[in-house]
Amino acid sequence: MQKDTRLLTGIIVVVVLALIVFSSFFVVEVGSVGVRINVLSGETKSFPQGTYAKVPFVHQVVNYDVKTQKQEVEADSASKDLQTVRARIVVNFRPVYDKVNDIHIKIGKDYFVKVIYPAIQEVSKTAISKLPVENIIVERENLRAAIEENLRKKIEEYNIIIENVNIVDIQFTAEFNRVVEEKQIEEQKVKKIQYQRMQAEEEKKRVILLAEAEAQKQKLLRDSSNQTVINLKWIEKWDGHLPKYMLSGNKSNAMFMLPDEK
């Protein structure tokens, strides 16, 4: 009985010692920075990739991902003419590698929720409010660039880097979409009328040119139609036979039949 008790006690001691040994170290993985926190003094210190010692039950470790991270946010805004606009924005960001300890002290691990998310909402509302709703699609790239620039300036003081911002979708109210569709239909009608008018003008020009060409042709024919030319044309067409009838030269205009050639 005593032997079994001593064995059990020994096992417990070994397990406890193993736990103490293993809990005396912590590992920071690739792409992370670990912040070691002294729960008694509140002192913090950051550690890059590697294996480090800590005091069990005194030190806690929080790992921060310092690789590029991606978050998608929906931002509802009002345009310059007070139309509702919903933009779906994707932001790529990362904490500054050697400032993770400051981020932990000032903000905490949920820095996206506390800092980045509200900043996206603010800068997107400001940028969209400067544009009439009908210009938002046309100015989409300029809008994206403005949001990215202003967000970067707003966030850099928190030791967070905004790598890029993309607007992946922009939605408008159903009423505005209907108005835009009707406007596009009207524009197509106007373009069709303009095209038909242009075709009519071209046809008119073509008819005028043809008429002018025909008039010029007739003028040239009149200018060249003298008696000599007419006789020449008659001779060219004559088949070598005399006519069977001809008019007399007197006032009676009597017709004589000429004898057949023998």
Side-chain angles (χ1 to χ4, degrees):
M1 182 74 175
Q2 292 179 348
K3 184 177 180 181
D4 291 340
T5 302
R6 287 196 299 269
L7 178 61
L8 180 60
T9 302
I11 292 173
I12 292 173
V13 170
V14 171
V15 171
V16 170
L17 289 174
L19 290 173
I20 292 173
V21 170
F22 283 113
S23 62
S24 297
F25 297 93
F26 66 94
V27 177
V28 179
E29 298 179 351
V30 177
S32 298
V33 170
V35 176
R36 190 182 67 186
I37 307 160
N38 188 317
V39 297
L40 300 178
S41 65
E43 180 185 2
T44 61
K45 184 179 180 180
S46 62
F47 295 84
Q49 171 191 346
T51 302
Y52 304 94
K54 68 183 182 68
V55 178
F57 311 112
V58 175
H59 288 147
Q60 293 180 352
V61 178
V62 177
N63 288 316
Y64 281 74
D65 188 351
V66 292
K67 301 186 297 295
T68 298
Q69 300 171 61
K70 174 183 175 181
Q71 288 286 350
E72 184 174 302
V73 175
E74 283 193 353
D76 289 334
S77 310
S79 64
K80 188 175 181 180
D81 46 358
L82 303 180
Q83 294 289 331
T84 300
V85 179
R86 171 169 291 181
R88 195 146 53 90
I89 300 170
V90 172
V91 180
N92 292 322
F93 62 93
R94 61 181 175 84
V96 177
Y97 184 83
D98 56 355
K99 297 293 184 180
V100 170
N101 193 56
D102 291 339
I103 293 173
H104 180 80
I105 294 171
K106 295 177 181 178
I107 309 171
K109 195 169 183 179
D110 55 348
Y111 58 87
F112 176 82
V113 175
K114 290 181 178 179
V115 174
I116 301 178
Y117 179 84
I120 294 171
Q121 296 291 335
E122 180 182 344
V123 298
S124 62
K125 282 178 170 62
T126 301
I128 290 173
S129 68
K130 295 179 180 180
L131 294 172
V133 67
E134 61 183 9
N135 290 352
I136 287 177
I137 296 298
V138 178
E139 297 288 335
R140 181 169 180 158
E141 175 55 28
N142 292 333
L143 178 63
R144 183 208 64 79
I147 293 174
E148 181 177 287
E149 180 182 0
N150 294 328
L151 183 62
R152 184 175 287 125
K153 290 178 180 178
K154 195 170 186 65
I155 294 299
E156 63 183 359
E157 63 178 293
Y158 298 101
N159 299 310
I160 300 169
I161 297 172
I162 301 298
E163 295 187 340
N164 56 67
V165 171
N166 290 297
I167 302 175
V168 296
D169 187 35
I170 298 177
Q171 296 180 358
F172 306 99
T173 62
E175 177 64 20
F176 176 74
N177 289 333
R178 183 185 64 78
V179 171
V180 170
E181 184 177 355
E182 290 177 354
K183 182 178 178 182
Q184 290 176 341
I185 292 173
E186 291 301 318
E187 288 177 349
Q188 291 299 322
K189 289 180 179 178
V190 171
K191 289 181 179 179
K192 182 178 180 179
I193 293 172
Q194 290 175 342
Y195 178 71
Q196 291 174 340
R197 185 181 295 122
M198 182 183 67
Q199 283 188 315
E201 290 292 333
E202 292 297 325
E203 179 64 19
K204 180 180 177 181
K205 291 178 182 178
R206 189 183 72 84
V207 171
I208 292 174
L209 289 174
L210 288 174
E212 290 177 348
E214 183 63 25
Q216 185 67 20
K217 175 182 175 182
Q218 296 300 327
K219 182 177 180 301
L220 291 174
L221 287 173
R222 287 194 301 271
D223 293 344
S224 61
S225 296
N226 52 45
Q227 189 61 42
T228 303
V229 173
I230 292 172
N231 292 338
L232 180 59
K233 292 292 183 181
W234 186 86
I235 292 171
E236 289 175 351
K237 293 182 179 181
W238 184 43
D239 58 1
H241 295 87
L242 291 174
K244 294 182 178 181
Y245 304 92
M246 66 179 300
L247 296 175
S248 66
N250 56 28
K251 293 182 179 180
S252 64
N253 289 332
M255 182 179 290
F256 297 94
M257 182 175 180
L258 299 177
D260 293 336
E261 294 180 7
K262 298 296 183 181

